[in-house]
Amino acid sequence: MRTLTLFNHAGGVMKSSLTRDVGHTLAAAGQRVLLVDLDPQANLTDWLGVTDVTQAQTAYGTATRGAPLPTPAAIHGLHLIPSDVSLALAEGQMMGVVGAHLHLRQALSEVSAHYDVALIDSPPSLGQLSILGALAADHLVVPVPTRQKGMNALAGLGEAMATYRKLRPDLTVALYVPTLYDARRSHDREAYETLKSMLHPLASPIADRGAVWNDSASAGQPVGVYAPGSPVHRDVLRVTQEISDAAGLGVSISGATA
C-alpha cells in the first residue's frame, strides 16, 4: 500500500476535492482505495454523501491513543474513515502523548494488506492533525492555487516540510498541483509561470470550473459519478495519472490525456 497525503495549510485549495476524485478514479481503475478524512470540517466526508458520523467512526482514537482504525464506510467503490467536528478535540489530546504523531502511520501499516492506496485529506492548518497526516505519508501531494493566496502559502509550506523531515527524513513531495487556474486571467498565467520556476515536480494545472465541483459536492458524488466525461472529469483523469506516475503507483488511467 502506498500512502499519499493531500497537504497544504491554506484552505480552499482543492485538497478535499482532489482526495475524493483522485481516490474515486483510482478505485475505478481497479485499485483498493482507503480515504482518511483528518479535517474536522469534514468536507471530504460530506462531499461523498456520508452523514451522521460519530466520533468513534473517525480517526480520533487512532490519533489520541494509537487505537486501530475503525471500520471504514463503503461508498462509491471506496472505503472512507470519515470525519466529524468532534475530531478537533484530538488536537489538544495529542499534545501530551509521546509518539502521537506516528499513530496513524502505525495504524495504516496494520491494514496495508487490504489496500493498494491510502489518500489522506489533511486539515487547512499546521496543527497536530496535519502533522499526523503528513508523517503517515509515503509522499505528499500539494495543491497550490494559481493566486496570490497560493504564492503566500509557499513559505509556510517550506517551513513545515523542513520540520517534518526532522522526524521523517524520507518524506518527499511527489507532486505539486496547480489548482483554480483560469488561463483568461493574466494573474493566473503569471502565477503559474512562477510556480513552474519554483516547484518541482509540477503537474499540469486544474482549471477553475467551480460549478461542477460545487454541484458534485452538493450531490455527495465524485465528479466521475456526477458528470462523467465532462471537462472537469477529464481534468481529474489527467491529474490522477500524473499523481500515479509521480508517486510510483503504476496505475494506468483510461481516458487520461495531457
Side-chain angles (χ1 to χ4, degrees):
M1 184 182 77
R2 304 292 288 173
T3 300
L4 308 179
T5 295
L6 280 288
F7 179 84
N8 192 321
H9 64 288
V13 301
M14 294 190 65
K15 287 191 304 291
S16 299
S17 296
L18 287 175
T19 304
R20 180 192 68 174
D21 289 297
V22 168
H24 179 259
T25 303
L26 289 170
Q31 298 294 287
R32 299 170 299 167
V33 178
L34 175 67
L35 305 184
V36 181
D37 191 349
L38 287 186
D39 186 353
Q41 296 181 68
N43 285 333
L44 174 62
T45 299
D46 292 341
W47 297 349
L48 280 167
V50 176
T51 60
D52 301 320
V53 175
T54 66
Q55 187 183 81
Q57 295 173 285
T58 75
Y60 178 86
T62 300
T64 59
R65 305 188 306 275
L69 287 168
T71 301
I75 187 79
H76 297 300
L78 303 158
H79 280 179
L80 169 71
I81 304 297
S83 184
D84 173 73
V85 66
S86 65
L87 184 60
L89 298 173
E91 290 278 354
Q93 296 291 323
M94 290 175 64
M95 293 179 69
V97 180
V98 175
H101 294 141
L102 295 175
H103 283 169
L104 181 57
R105 183 171 177 81
Q106 294 163 352
L108 286 170
S109 72
E110 295 170 4
V111 300
S112 62
H114 302 291
Y115 298 101
D116 301 303
V117 183
L119 297 178
I120 301 170
D121 184 22
S122 66
S125 73
L126 291 176
Q128 304 301 306
L129 290 170
S130 293
I131 300 172
L132 181 77
L135 297 185
D138 296 307
H139 301 289
L140 303 181
V141 174
V142 181
V144 183
T146 55
R147 310 280 170 83
Q148 190 60 45
K149 176 181 183 177
M151 302 294 104
N152 294 343
L154 293 179
L157 284 170
E159 292 173 6
M161 283 299 299
T163 299
Y164 299 161
R165 282 177 176 145
K166 292 178 182 178
L167 297 171
R168 285 280 314 282
D170 58 327
L171 184 63
T172 62
V173 175
L175 196 63
Y176 294 92
V177 182
T179 61
L180 304 174
Y181 180 66
D182 189 338
R184 299 170 299 180
R185 292 193 291 251
S186 60
H187 174 77
D188 286 46
R189 295 194 301 271
E190 292 166 4
Y192 180 46
E193 291 302 316
T194 300
L195 293 179
K196 286 198 290 185
S197 69
M198 295 177 61
L199 302 178
H200 306 280
L202 188 70
S204 54
I206 301 293
D208 186 4
R209 299 185 174 103
V212 172
W213 292 108
N214 294 336
D215 291 347
S216 67
S218 296
Q221 296 177 340
V223 164
V225 175
Y226 181 81
S230 66
V232 170
H233 187 215
R234 292 197 293 272
D235 282 346
V236 169
L237 296 175
R238 185 190 70 248
V239 76
T240 302
Q241 185 65 71
E242 293 182 62
I243 290 172
S244 173
D245 294 344
L249 303 182
V251 182
S252 179
I253 305 299
S254 178
T257 57

